[in-house]
Amino acid sequence: RTKYDLDEAEKKDHISGGTEWVFSNGIKVIYRKMDTKGQIHYCFALNGGADSVQDLQKGEAAYISDYFFLSRINGIPAGDFLDVLSTEGVSMRVDVDLTSMSIRGSVPEENIGLMFRGLSAVTGKRETDTTAVGYYAAGEKLRSGLRKGTDAEKVVKINSIMCPDYKYISHKSLSELSPELHAKAESYFDTQLSKLDDGILVIVGNMDAFDMKKVLLEYVGSFNVAQKTFRRQMVRYQPSTGWST
């Protein structure tokens, strides 16, 4: 991994009351120090949600989040990868709503390095697991039957009556998943994970801000960025008597 410097002086985020840092590779972080009982809570929020998925059909939006972990992370099944993190107290989940995607969870303060390594892996060392995708799709008929009579099914039916053309409903309702849905989800995730500098990492914990910054400087270089950012041009001048700047 590569260490990165801060691109500009830290500043106050007026919405959260936390401290905002922008690193030289474009990664943006907001850190809020508060008593969290030894836990660190994090959320990597990225612009673009289900409305960014190409050719999404009615009812498919509710399944996009699940497809993220129908994969192999660092060469092992995503379920095993999450279990390894869980044994060290690291939780991680992915949510895709209409306009954004988030990777979030929590970790004991002493294992924050493992959390960052996990984030680096799921955003940069993720590949399709066709076996997991097939198993998930095959099981949807059974899960669809279990949803009958639930509140979620009632919401789906009400929405189909009131907004018949709306295709982004967040409740699962399909009894069979299209084989093309996996390809759509993968294309979406590839795009999202290639430009992490387009999002923002929000962290809440009780660590000293200086210590948090040191940890970030060690790990932010492992995140994929679109490299659209640029450093402000340095103006050079030769000082002499009578000059001011």
Side-chain angles (χ1 to χ4, degrees):
R1 55 181 179 264
T2 304
K3 293 187 178 182
Y4 278 78
D5 295 325
L6 284 169
D7 191 42
E8 59 184 53
E10 64 184 36
K11 59 183 179 181
K12 195 82 167 178
D13 177 64
H14 297 292
I15 297 177
S16 66
T19 302
E20 180 181 344
W21 297 304
V22 180
F23 294 86
S24 58
N25 62 344
I27 295 294
K28 295 174 284 293
V29 179
I30 291 178
Y31 176 59
R32 173 69 185 273
K33 186 178 186 299
M34 59 188 301
D35 185 12
T36 52
K37 311 300 183 185
Q39 289 287 111
I40 299 288
H41 302 275
Y42 67 94
C43 175
F44 212 142
L46 305 172
N47 292 317
D51 63 342
S52 302
V53 180
Q54 295 296 314
D55 301 320
L56 197 68
Q57 300 301 305
K58 185 176 179 180
E60 292 182 338
Y63 297 87
I64 298 298
S65 300
D66 291 354
Y67 274 83
F68 188 89
F69 286 120
L70 300 179
S71 58
R72 298 180 71 86
I73 310 294
N74 241 351
I76 66 174
D80 294 344
F81 179 83
L82 293 176
D83 287 344
V84 170
L85 293 182
S86 180
T87 60
E88 298 297 329
V90 183
S91 67
M92 184 178 294
R93 75 175 192 269
V94 170
D95 296 313
V96 178
D97 60 23
L98 178 60
T99 59
S100 66
M101 168 184 168
S102 64
I103 306 172
R104 64 178 70 206
S106 62
V107 57
E109 186 176 308
E110 62 271 17
N111 286 339
I112 188 171
L114 178 60
M115 180 271 285
F116 276 113
R117 290 193 292 275
L119 271 179
S120 176
V122 300
T123 58
K125 299 175 182 177
R126 178 184 171 278
E127 58 187 14
T128 299
D129 186 338
T130 54
T131 300
V133 171
Y135 183 81
Y136 177 82
E140 189 52 32
K141 289 184 178 180
L142 176 60
R143 289 188 293 270
S144 178
L146 295 175
R147 287 193 292 267
K148 291 189 179 300
T150 64
D151 290 342
E153 185 192 43
K154 295 174 185 176
V155 170
V156 170
K157 289 183 177 179
I158 291 172
N159 273 274
S160 66
I161 294 171
M162 299 183 65
C163 309
D165 297 327
Y166 186 68
K167 61 182 180 181
Y168 297 113
I169 186 163
S170 58
H171 294 285
K172 296 173 181 176
S173 60
L174 302 178
S175 60
E176 190 167 338
L177 298 178
S178 165
E180 290 77 31
L181 180 56
H182 167 240
K184 297 175 190 177
E186 285 302 299
S187 177
Y188 164 73
F189 291 132
D190 286 346
T191 299
Q192 291 293 87
L193 301 180
S194 69
K195 52 174 185 174
L196 297 180
D197 51 331
D198 192 39
I200 189 163
L201 176 58
V202 180
I203 304 175
V204 178
N206 199 33
M207 284 181 65
D208 182 79
F210 179 79
D211 293 332
M212 177 60 70
K213 189 192 301 185
K214 286 201 304 182
V215 175
L216 286 164
L217 286 168
E218 185 174 359
Y219 289 102
V220 293
S222 64
F223 293 135
N224 295 323
V225 296
Q227 297 183 340
K228 295 180 296 185
T229 59
F230 58 90
R231 299 181 76 101
R232 292 190 298 273
Q233 183 178 2
M234 180 179 294
V235 179
R236 300 185 181 277
Y237 65 93
Q238 178 63 42
S240 61
T241 301
W243 285 34
S244 64
T245 180

